[in-house]
Amino acid sequence: QVDLMESGGGSVQSGGSLRLTCVASEFKFRGHCMAWFRQVPGKEREGLAAIYTDGSANYADSVKGRFTISQDNAKNTVYLQMDNLKSEDTAIYYCAADEQGGSYFCHPWRDFENWGQGTQVTVSS
């Protein structure tokens, strides 16, 4: 069990930027996959980006070029830099992590074992 805590959400105007942070409690194994998802009430959860311990990252087409996932392995922390935000980016953003599978399986459309509580992002036009 890995505990995850997100922070950095808030309100921003369209075209603005936010950086989300997710800190994991601890990992048992050296390799792990961390990812960001978002969900609008009443809609399905959407995978955005995932990054493996070796730095390899994958993005959903909906955010490619605007969002950047990065990590600090020494701090068990993953970030999501969100630029050029749009009103349709308004959602609750969740961090996820899993120690099963290697970098090949680290992408935002796989299942994850551990989830954070979420942080609200609101983009006003």
Side-chain angles (χ1 to χ4, degrees), residues 36-37 49 61 86 90 102 105:
W36 287 97
F37 290 75
D61 289 342
K86 307 174 182 179
T90 295
F105 298 99

Side-chain angles (χ1 to χ4, degrees), residues 1-112:
Q1 179 72 25
V2 179
D3 294 325
L4 303 170
M5 178 65 71
E6 305 99 334
S7 62
S11 298
V12 64
Q13 289 191 331
S14 180
S17 298
L18 281 175
R19 188 176 83 155
L20 305 182
T21 299
C22 173
V23 181
S25 55
E26 64 178 339
F27 291 107
K28 292 182 180 179
F29 305 104
R30 182 173 299 178
H32 55 263
C33 177
M34 297 187 76
W36 287 97
F37 290 75
R38 67 186 177 190
Q39 189 168 23
V40 175
K43 294 188 177 181
E44 289 189 0
R45 185 173 59 204
E46 177 186 16
L48 304 176
I51 188 166
Y52 194 68
T53 317
D54 64 2
S56 56
N58 288 289
Y59 294 89
D61 289 342
S62 60
V63 301
K64 196 174 295 184
R66 295 192 301 124
F67 291 8
T68 304
I69 190 170
S70 61
Q71 64 187 352
D72 185 334
N73 288 328
K75 297 181 179 180
N76 287 340
T77 300
V78 66
Y79 306 97
L80 186 68
Q81 177 67 39
M82 306 186 293
D83 298 318
N84 190 22
L85 283 162
K86 307 174 182 179
S87 57
E88 52 263 42
D89 294 318
T90 295
I92 300 174
Y93 284 69
Y94 297 91
C95 174
D98 205 299
E99 296 182 88
Q100 300 300 316
S103 60
Y104 180 81
F105 298 99
C106 186
H107 47 73
W109 43 90
R110 61 162 285 179
D111 292 330
F112 283 82

